[in-house]
Structure formats: C-alpha cells, structure tokens
Amino acid sequence: MDKTKTEADWYKFWEKSGFFKADPKSDKKPYSLLMPPPNLTGDPHLGHAMQHAILDSLARFKRMQGYDTLLLPGVDHAGIQFEGTFTKLLAKENLSKYNLSREEWLKKAWQFRDDVYKAFHQTWSIFGISADWSREVFTLEEKVQTGVVEEFQTFWDQDLLYKGAYIVQWCPKCGTAIEDLEMEYEERKEKLYYINYLIDGLPNPEYITIATARPETIAADVAIAIYPKHPKYAKFIGKKAINPFTQTELPIIEDKRVEKDFGTGALKITPGHDLLDYEIGKDHNLAILHVVGKDGKITELDDHLKGLNIIEAREKAVGKLHELGLLDKAEDYSHSVPICERSKNAVEPLISEEWFIKMQPLADKALKHIKEVGFAPKNYQKILTDWIEKIHDWSISRSLWWGHRIPVWYCQKSNPHHSVGKNQDLTISLNKPTIKCPNCGSTEWVQDDQVLDTWFSSGMWPMITLGWPKETEDFKKYFPWDFEISAPEIRYLWIARMIMLSLWFKDQIPFKDMFFHGTLRAMDGKKMSKSLGNGIFPKDLIDQWGTDSTRMFLYSYAAPGRDGRLNRQIADERCKNFRNFGTKLRNIERFIVELKPEGADESEGKEGLDDKNIKDELNQTITKVTSHLESFNLHLATEEIYDFLWHKFADVYIEKTKDRRAEAQPTLEYVFKTALELLHPFMPFITEELWQKLPHQGQSIMLAEWPKVE
RNA sequence: GGGCGGUUAGCUCAGUUGGUAGAGCGACUCAUUGACGUUGAGUAGGUCACAGGUUCGACUCCUGUAUCGCCCACCA
C-alpha cells in the first residue's frame, strides 16, 4: 500500500470495494441503522457530525461482528427552511412567487437544490460514513411521493383526515401557518388596557370593563364573556354591549373558562384571533370575524385602522378609545408572546383552511407499544409518553410551494370552493386525474394549492426508505430498524410521529433502540447558530485535524442525552489531543514493523509474563469496549481503548519489551493488530492504514472479525 | 405556570449495581538525541452547589433549597 494514502483514498477504496453495501440476500443476520435525513441547507453542523460519527461507529462495529449491516442515508427537503433560503436568493434577482409561476419557481428551486445537494454531499462524505449510498433517499423523490400519497389516501379512507376552519398560528413573514411546535415564546413588556363597553338599552349609561392586550382587534369582537356569577356583571347577562368601534351589539355571556382573577373577570371574545376565544365562540355559536389579514395588516372590517400593521393599529386604537372616553386605564403587562421560530416575527392567531389528521386513534395505539422501544437515555420513554397522552390533532398543510403538494384534486365545476365532505367532488391522486367527475361529468380537476408538512413525509421515513408501501426485500429484512438516533429537540415533531405512524401502518415499532444525543452548545449554554456567529463547523475541524481526530473529539461528547458546552478553542484542544494520539499510533507501528529486529521471526513460543499480562489487559479491554458499544456508551468505549493503547500498551508494555525485543514480536503484533480492530469503529482511517502494514489476513480492517477474548 | 436536565480539579467533562473521586487540556518539577518532544516520568490542585434524611458507610438513594439551562403551556 502506498504510504501517502489519504483519508479520501481509503474512503474510495472502501466504497469501490462495496464494503458499505447491505445485502438482503445474504444469510447474515441484519442490523439496520437509519440516518436522520439532515436538512438540505448550508454546511452540515457539529450536531450532524456527532450523529453521523455515532451511527458510523455502530455500523462498523456491527459489520465486524458479522451482521449484514445497513446504514441508510438520506436528505430532507426541509420545506419551510429551504423555501426561506431560496426566497432570499431569488429576491436578489428581484424574483419572487409574485412574478414567477409555480412551475417556473419550482424549476429554479430544483436547480438550487441540485447545487446545494452537491456541496452538501462533498462535506458529508469526507466524514468517513460507511453508509450504503446506493440506497440514498431524498424526501421529494418519486419513491417518497408514492408513499406519501398512499399515507394520505389511507388516512382519508379511514376518515381520519379533515379540512375546515381552524385556528392556526399564522406567520405573516413566512406567509404560512406554523405549528405550535414551531413557535417560540418571548417575554415582552406590553400594556394591558382596561376598556369600557357601554351596555345597550339601560336608562342610565352603565359599562362593563374588560382587559385586553390587543385593542386593535376590537372590530372583530363578537361577545363579552364573564366568569359565572360575576358579582358586578352577572346582572348584564342577556343584555348587549356596544362595540366601541363598529357600534354592533355584543351579547354578554357566561363561561367558566374566563379567569376570575385576571383583569376584571370580563373578557372580550374575538374568535378570529385568539384560541381561547375561538373555543368559547364555537360553544356559544358566535361568528368568526377577521380584522387582521394574512399579510399582518388590518382588514376592511375596521374602516378606521384599515391597512395598518399591528403596532400602528394598536397605537391608533388606543388613541381613539381615549378620545371616546372609554379607556379606563392601562397598566404595564409583561407576558410571553408567541413568535415564529424561524422568522422571529410575532405570529397571528388566525382562522385558516387547513388539513388535519385526527391523532387520537394513532396515539392510543402508540401508547400500547411504546415500551417496546429501548430509549437511551431511559427517561425519554416517559417524556414521549406524556406528550402522546396529551395529543392534539396534527395540522399537516402548509402554504408553501416546496414540498409534497397535497394530492387532492377538486372538480372545478361542481366543487369550485375546494370544500371537503363525503358528498363533495374531489379525488386523491398524485397526478391529474383522467376520470370524469361523478357529479357533473367534468374533467377539469384542480389540485389543492398547499403542500404537506415536512414531517408528514419524514414521519414515514423508517418505512418509505425501505420501499413502503411495497413489500420489498429490503423492507422484510431491515424493518423495524435496529437503531435510530436524534437530536432531542425534534423528539415530538419527528420521533413521536414515527412511532405513531409506524404502529398505525405496520403494527410495528419503527426502531428497537432510540438514541438521543445531547445538544452541543456555546459556552454560555445557548445554541450554536449562524446568526449568533458562535457555530463551529465540522469541516473546519476536519481540515485542521483530520477526520479521525474530529470523530474522537465528538465521541467524548456522545454520552446519551448529555449536553456539552464548547467553543473553537476547546474543540481544537481536544482534536489536537487525538491528533497526537494518532501520531503515537504511527510510532507504535514504526517500532513494531519498521524496526523489527533480526531473529524476531523465530520467537514463537517464547512468551513471558509481560506478554501474558498485556494479553490479559487486552482481553479486559475487549470486554469493556464491546459492552460499552452495545450499551451505546461511546464516550466510555473510546476512553477505554485510548487508555489501553497509550498508557498500558505503549507506555508500559512496549517500554518493557526493549530488553527482550525479538521474542516479544508475536505479542506486539497480535496485541497491536487486535487493539486497532477495537479502535476501528471510531478512527476508521488510521486504523486501516496501520492494520494494512501489520501481518494480516483479508482486504481491509473493515472486514476483520470483531476481537474476541482469547 | 408545568415538566426535564445540569451544578464534581483553573477549563471542558467522565464516574456500571452506595465502600473516603478520574480523564483530557492547563500549571509546576524532572528527563534531551531512546518508536514517538505531536514525547516520557512525576507533582500540585476537589468539604463532588447547599441543608436535612436513610445507611456501618452517600458524588451515588430520598426530601427540600439555591442557581443555570432546556422543553412544554390558550390567562385575555
């Protein structure tokens, strides 16, 4: 072998030799690991690197143990995130959804996707990942489309899909509905306004005072609600209050959901813009009015404030109330305001037409089987169970263009408003239907405008990647997955969904072991992010210290569920340490192989006490590394093999052999070769390089048998 | 407001079933052409956040407090 072979050369050698490929036809028992598809954006970050390092070490370990190992890679189209990045890019050319057709826009989006994908892949593959690239999946490809339509169709047939007026969190900046899970809360100091509403039809003017933080929505009020038996206001039940802006009559109602001790115990009901109000309104059969539009501006419902944004409208509304003498008082009020996780914009609760899945039956089934999944750390079973127990329906439609378009086609003639109901004329299919509308005979089908939530496809990732709904050879052999890994923050969005969907569609848990790694944070405990500029890019570390060293550094943070704090300096320190370890290993090889003394070949059978001792220690190391790998404690496994090689083998044993160099040769070779095999899952490149220089059998250390205690 | 996690050497972190604490980096001392100075041999440094409790014995189990962080939540 060429001495100057680089990491990239070894990688090519492995890949060309087909060592990464799984073979469903082999007699070996399967071990399958599913790579979480990273989002199609920018450079892979440190979290990806850690995930991939963990996945790869386990894949290499299982392969050496003799399993037919599948590590399946893929990339997620990442709906909102990708569309956001792409939109900014288009804006530089003065292009947008307003001056491009959907087809033109998508064509450009795919071109951009191809560029990003290529760059992404380049960074990705230098990490030494022994993934089966022949099975790689991108979440918008045809295979996934087929699965997604099947998923949708099944829910439809089971009567679990519905569409209708529903309150959603609308982000005016992203221009789409976002889920509760995609919202953040920010503590903001605002004012709480106490406003007097005149009671209609009384001889002397009497008022009911309500407290609100959002006076700009008054025009959309449809009632005033008080808590039951309100000492001051109960007498007004059945009467009407006058809306100060629109002069319409507002019924005064009682509802136990109104908090007794907040504000005045009286609440203005604005079902179009508040979830609690929406629910109260629904139960009291109240109308739903909108005074804030999807652009975040006041609608025509309020003549006076029309066209203003929220902040301006609020100021003006307060001014007007003041003029009318209806503003009782305003007090400082600090509360958490929902903001969009991506745009950091305050979200507007709005009524919108969205598709939903009824989740209760899926949740019930998941709860019965979730115990079959082994979680690391263990407490995640409870965390997920608690969430699934409080499940709410899943809003699956997004007003985006980048994603799986909802496979619903409406008959233009007999169902022009795209409504949904069993008697309505619509059909489900991937492509434009060729059938005639059963109602009017028309063939003018129009597809639903929206796309599906990214997690609607990602949730099926464990099945779709193996060819579902087809009963493929791969599916039969590799499902359920043996191992899945995830960042903790997507445990609900993704992990809980996969468990529910997999049990629903296949009656099986999606994976046997579920590993949650911790979050790598900046020194102040905050997340690393591009915008804060506190990120560390794995690519930079690899360029400076090499892949093996970077991987070892990451394993030291791979204790299940434990966060780590670091900056570039700390990362460099640790990487440097492992780079030095690599140098140590090269010198050990030099000592054993290149400086092999005369007569060493005739030293079989001259084993001494030192040789026996180091072999005993090697055996202990084999046992510990193996068990730490099996319990997914990679931080302990790496520490163990590191300590053995450096401080037991090199510092002690090798020093002692110097007096009896020749007769120690067989032990030196055997112990070092075996230790390299134990280290291979973690430092794949250098172990291959050095293993090749020792007497060995077989083409690659990748194919070596996992060391056993002898 | 609820839930979860952290708090161990100057720094970043380990610590299987309870038996007076470990690593890497950093500091200090020594070794200088020995496989390797990207090295070796040593040394210093911790009342394991705090207060109770269980126990012969607690970093480890229980209760509470403080503090930092994360997640979740429809009090207008």
Side-chain angles (χ1 to χ4, degrees):
Chain A
M1 285 292 163
D2 183 359
K3 225 178 172 180
T4 58
K5 229 170 179 173
T6 63
E7 292 184 340
D9 295 329
W10 285 117
Y11 195 81
K12 269 184 220 147
F13 160 63
W14 293 329
E15 204 186 355
K16 272 189 191 161
S17 309
F19 298 158
F20 300 162
K21 280 196 180 166
D23 177 13
K25 289 195 170 62
S26 93
D27 299 333
K28 294 177 180 175
K29 277 203 268 177
Y31 192 88
S32 52
L33 308 97
L34 182 58
M35 185 181 289
N39 285 350
L40 180 61
T41 48
D43 268 336
H45 58 67
L46 218 49
H48 291 133
M50 182 157 77
Q51 276 187 349
H52 295 160
I54 293 170
L55 281 166
D56 190 56
S57 64
L58 292 170
R60 287 174 184 273
F61 167 58
K62 289 293 172 183
R63 217 176 267 120
M64 288 171 80
Q65 275 192 325
Y67 289 91
D68 169 34
T69 302
L70 170 62
L71 171 53
L72 190 145
V75 177
D76 198 282
H77 64 280
I80 295 177
Q81 204 181 350
F82 179 90
E83 186 157 325
T85 311
F86 181 58
T87 301
K88 273 183 212 155
L89 192 83
L90 283 184
K92 286 182 190 162
E93 302 171 49
N94 284 323
L95 293 172
S96 73
K97 282 184 173 180
Y98 299 103
N99 54 22
L100 288 171
S101 71
R102 189 165 182 149
E103 287 66 34
E104 289 164 341
W105 189 94
L106 279 171
K107 197 177 165 195
K108 283 178 179 293
W110 273 94
Q111 283 164 0
F112 178 54
R113 175 264 179 206
D114 290 343
D115 294 345
V116 176
Y117 206 88
K118 210 173 157 191
F120 189 84
H121 237 266
Q122 209 167 11
T123 311
W124 200 8
S125 58
I126 60 171
F127 213 57
I129 307 304
S130 60
D132 187 343
W133 299 106
S134 69
R135 287 178 165 81
E136 183 180 351
V137 179
F138 177 61
T139 58
L140 281 186
E141 71 186 57
E142 205 180 325
K143 181 179 182 176
V144 183
Q145 281 184 355
T146 312
V148 164
V149 173
E150 174 78 13
E151 179 189 8
F152 194 92
Q153 177 84 55
T154 308
F155 280 133
W156 177 258
D157 294 343
Q158 291 170 336
D159 211 15
L160 293 176
L161 267 175
Y162 65 96
K163 184 187 182 188
Y166 202 94
I167 195 122
V168 292
Q169 305 300 335
W170 184 268
C171 174
K173 203 164 172 185
C174 302
T176 183
I178 61 170
E179 268 198 274
D180 292 351
L181 294 168
E182 293 163 333
M183 291 194 305
E184 288 175 352
Y185 291 82
E186 200 177 275
E187 202 63 26
R188 285 192 186 168
K189 280 183 189 155
E190 296 191 332
K191 297 271 186 203
L192 190 63
Y193 301 96
Y194 288 74
I195 300 164
N196 297 325
Y197 284 55
L198 180 68
I199 308 295
D200 192 31
L202 292 179
N204 299 314
E206 286 194 62
Y207 297 91
I208 191 165
T209 309
I210 61 92
T212 182
R214 304 205 56 192
E216 71 277 12
T217 63
I218 286 176
D221 289 356
V222 293
I224 300 288
I226 59 174
Y227 70 84
K229 304 201 175 94
H230 194 293
K232 219 169 137 189
Y233 298 142
K235 60 179 177 184
F236 295 141
I237 297 293
K239 296 215 176 348
K240 311 273 189 200
I242 303 294
N243 185 316
F245 286 4
T246 61
Q247 309 308 317
T248 51
E249 293 187 334
L250 309 171
I252 295 166
I253 57 174
E254 270 185 335
D255 195 288
K256 61 177 189 299
R257 282 165 287 195
V258 180
E259 287 285 325
K260 191 177 166 188
D261 298 321
F262 191 91
T264 62
L267 172 64
K268 77 185 190 72
I269 301 298
T270 321
H273 298 289
D274 183 274
L275 186 53
L276 176 66
D277 292 8
Y278 172 77
E279 281 168 0
I280 292 176
K282 202 161 77 177
D283 294 346
H284 291 271
N285 287 318
L286 299 170
I288 296 164
L289 301 180
H290 285 129
V291 70
V292 182
K294 288 188 171 179
D295 53 2
K297 300 211 165 117
I298 302 293
T299 66
E300 298 187 347
L301 187 67
D302 193 320
D303 270 345
H304 191 62
L305 306 176
K306 186 169 66 181
L308 299 178
N309 69 32
I310 303 296
I311 308 287
E312 298 161 348
R314 184 170 304 169
E315 239 170 74
K316 204 165 171 187
V318 171
K320 190 173 171 192
L321 288 165
H322 195 73
E323 269 170 41
L324 294 168
L326 296 174
L327 186 62
D328 188 48
K329 60 173 175 174
E331 58 187 35
D332 286 332
Y333 177 55
S334 173
H335 66 149
S336 60
V337 177
I339 57 173
C340 171
E341 183 178 83
R342 292 195 172 74
S343 70
K344 307 293 176 194
N345 209 59
V347 298
E348 270 303 308
L350 281 184
I351 298 296
S352 181
E353 283 272 285
E354 301 294 334
W355 285 93
F356 282 83
I357 300 177
K358 297 175 192 165
M359 292 302 284
Q360 198 57 53
L362 282 81
D364 291 342
K365 198 162 186 181
L367 289 170
K368 278 183 202 150
H369 296 277
I370 193 165
K371 287 201 172 78
E372 295 161 25
V373 180
F375 289 97
K378 288 196 178 69
N379 62 335
Y380 271 78
Q381 185 185 303
K382 189 178 179 304
I383 293 172
L384 287 180
T385 302
D386 288 351
W387 185 78
I388 296 174
E389 277 172 351
K390 289 183 273 178
I391 198 78
H392 52 266
D393 287 353
W394 179 11
S395 151
I396 55 163
S397 45
R398 295 294 129 104
S399 300
L400 300 171
W401 284 354
W402 186 246
H404 292 279
R405 193 154 172 185
I406 291 180
V408 171
W409 299 78
Y410 307 93
C411 171
Q412 186 75 312
K413 273 192 183 161
S414 69
N415 186 3
H417 300 296
H418 300 182
S419 47
V420 172
K422 286 293 174 195
N423 299 325
Q424 300 294 343
D425 299 308
L426 84 178
T427 183
I428 293 169
S429 73
L430 180 56
N431 298 310
K432 189 167 186 164
T434 48
I435 56 165
K436 285 180 182 173
C437 169
N439 210 16
C440 64
S442 159
T443 53
E444 284 174 49
W445 298 98
V446 178
Q447 189 169 12
D448 196 295
D449 271 345
Q450 294 188 298
V451 299
L452 291 160
D453 178 15
T454 300
W455 303 105
F456 190 82
S457 44
S458 319
M460 298 293 278
W461 189 239
M463 289 174 276
I464 284 179
T465 46
L466 293 175
W468 184 89
K470 286 189 205 122
E471 272 287 322
T472 62
E473 216 177 15
D474 279 6
F475 196 97
K476 281 183 205 150
K477 185 158 184 185
Y478 304 114
F479 191 88
W481 295 84
D482 288 284
F483 185 84
E484 178 60 300
I485 186 170
S486 172
E489 63 263 26
I490 52 175
R491 59 188 181 270
Y492 304 133
L493 287 166
W494 193 44
I495 305 301
R497 259 83 177 259
M498 286 194 285
I499 293 172
M500 291 190 284
L501 291 171
S502 174
L503 281 159
W504 191 251
F505 285 95
K506 287 306 293 183
D507 282 311
Q508 278 178 289
I509 52 170
F511 26 72
K512 294 172 192 161
D513 282 304
M514 179 64 229
F515 181 105
F516 286 97
H517 62 252
T519 306
L520 296 179
R521 305 177 180 284
M523 295 303 282
D524 56 3
K526 299 250 160 59
K527 275 190 183 179
M528 291 187 186
S529 72
K530 262 187 207 162
S531 51
L532 290 173
N534 58 0
I536 298 172
F537 291 96
K539 194 175 178 302
D540 297 342
L541 295 175
I542 289 169
D543 288 345
Q544 185 168 356
W545 305 107
T547 303
D548 283 340
S549 310
T550 306
R551 285 171 63 130
M552 286 296 272
F553 141 71
L554 288 167
Y555 294 126
S556 65
Y557 282 93
R562 304 301 282 271
D563 290 356
R565 296 177 175 213
L566 62 159
N567 53 26
R568 182 62 197 266
Q569 190 197 333
I570 288 172
D572 281 338
E573 273 169 21
R574 300 212 73 127
C575 287
K576 182 179 165 190
N577 179 225
F578 291 113
R579 191 271 322 260
N580 294 356
F581 179 54
T583 307
K584 191 75 182 174
L585 296 177
R586 287 206 168 80
N587 281 303
I588 294 173
E589 180 276 328
R590 250 183 71 187
F591 180 77
I592 297 176
V593 178
E594 287 163 42
L595 302 176
K596 181 170 150 183
E598 298 277 323
D601 290 330
E602 293 94 52
S603 47
E604 287 295 339
K606 292 182 182 171
E607 188 171 282
L609 188 61
D610 289 344
D611 303 324
K612 193 185 170 303
N613 287 343
I614 193 67
K615 282 183 183 170
D616 283 348
E617 289 194 288
L618 174 68
N619 283 340
Q620 288 171 33
T621 306
I622 292 172
T623 305
K624 284 183 189 163
V625 171
T626 307
S627 90
H628 286 146
L629 268 164
E630 268 160 359
S631 57
F632 313 123
N633 286 310
L634 307 191
H635 62 302
L636 300 178
T638 45
E639 195 179 288
E640 202 65 49
I641 182 65
Y642 170 94
D643 181 61
F644 173 79
L645 270 163
W646 200 326
H647 301 304
K648 294 191 172 109
F649 183 61
D651 289 347
V652 180
Y653 176 74
I654 288 182
E655 285 306 318
K656 285 187 182 174
T657 63
K658 287 176 182 170
D659 299 334
R660 46 186 286 278
R661 178 64 187 83
E663 68 179 50
Q665 186 66 16
T667 307
L668 282 168
E669 287 176 5
Y670 165 74
V671 173
F672 190 48
K673 179 167 149 288
T674 308
L676 286 175
E677 287 161 2
L678 285 177
L679 181 62
H680 178 255
F682 313 107
M683 299 183 85
F685 294 108
I686 193 168
T687 50
E688 177 74 292
E689 177 191 327
L690 301 180
W691 187 89
Q692 295 280 354
K693 291 177 179 172
L694 286 161
H696 64 273
Q697 288 187 319
Q699 282 183 79
S700 163
I701 192 171
M702 276 192 73
L703 307 180
E705 196 184 332
W706 185 252
K708 287 200 185 104
V709 174
E710 285 188 6

